[in-house]
Amino acid sequence: MSVALRRAAPSDFPAVRRITRDAYLRAGHFAADHPYLSVLEDVEHRAAQAEVWVAEAAGKVVAAVTLTFAGQPYSEIARNGELEFRMLAVDPRHQGAGVGRSVVRAIVEHARLLPGIGAISITSATFMERAHALYRSLGFRRAPERDWYVPGEDVLLWVFRLEL
């Protein structure tokens, strides 16, 4: 599926919220009452502190992702010279059609145009196996020395990195 990646406008926020919530719940990553869902759903806060982007296909928002850089509030792992992306979510109605792959490719192309950015980093929970396969297929490599645990939880997060 061909998608166009662009910065989200406030009018996109309801779609971003729905897609992100639906994608995370459908994948079984969290229960509906998990506190992280409120973070995922607060698109307004995210957009004020980082860059929220959407992917459109046939005029409809089909995916969303957050881009951030070292030292910014939504950055968890980015180092100087890295673009970090987080909260990549594809509308469940469009999963399996190559949307996620198209979004990550568009992020890579965008990052290559950014001055001073030489790599992309991403965190992924150990149980997000579909995401791992996607990242590896696009050239991302594990950076196990940068893995970390969610504070207060027994959830290990893996770091993947792509040199540009």
Side-chain angles (χ1 to χ4, degrees):
M1 176 181 286
S2 175
V3 300
L5 195 66
R6 65 170 174 79
R7 283 289 287 269
S11 59
D12 297 314
F13 294 174
V16 171
R17 188 174 0 271
R18 179 191 56 77
I19 288 168
T20 306
R21 179 180 176 80
D22 290 355
Y24 275 74
L25 289 176
R26 180 174 185 224
H29 298 322
F30 306 105
D33 62 348
H34 193 283
Y36 188 58
L37 278 177
S38 65
V39 174
L40 293 172
E41 291 179 323
D42 194 350
V43 181
E44 292 77 9
H45 186 267
R46 223 186 319 160
Q49 304 292 323
E51 298 179 13
V52 176
W53 289 66
V54 294
E56 281 186 324
K60 296 192 186 251
V61 174
V62 296
V65 66
T66 299
L67 307 181
T68 187
F69 302 89
Q72 292 183 339
Y74 270 77
S75 177
E76 293 177 323
I77 58 164
R79 294 179 176 168
N80 287 335
E82 288 182 346
L83 168 69
E84 177 181 349
F85 73 89
R86 300 188 51 202
M87 303 173 183
L88 173 60
V90 175
D91 188 324
R93 295 175 289 193
H94 297 281
Q95 290 179 2
V99 174
R101 178 174 302 282
S102 293
V103 170
V104 176
R105 282 183 174 152
I107 292 167
V108 171
E109 292 310 310
H110 174 69
R112 286 190 168 122
L113 300 174
L114 297 173
I117 297 299
I120 300 172
S121 59
I122 178 74
T123 293
S124 186
T126 57
F127 51 81
M128 295 179 172
E129 296 170 0
R130 285 182 63 198
H132 304 164
L134 170 64
Y135 303 145
R136 285 186 176 114
S137 75
L138 293 171
F140 284 78
R141 300 288 172 249
R142 286 262 296 109
E145 69 282 1
R146 293 173 64 182
D147 293 351
W148 57 287
Y149 282 89
V150 174
E153 296 188 35
D154 190 27
V155 176
L156 177 63
L157 299 175
W158 285 353
V159 174
F160 291 82
R161 188 170 190 274
L162 175 69
E163 289 280 338
L164 298 175

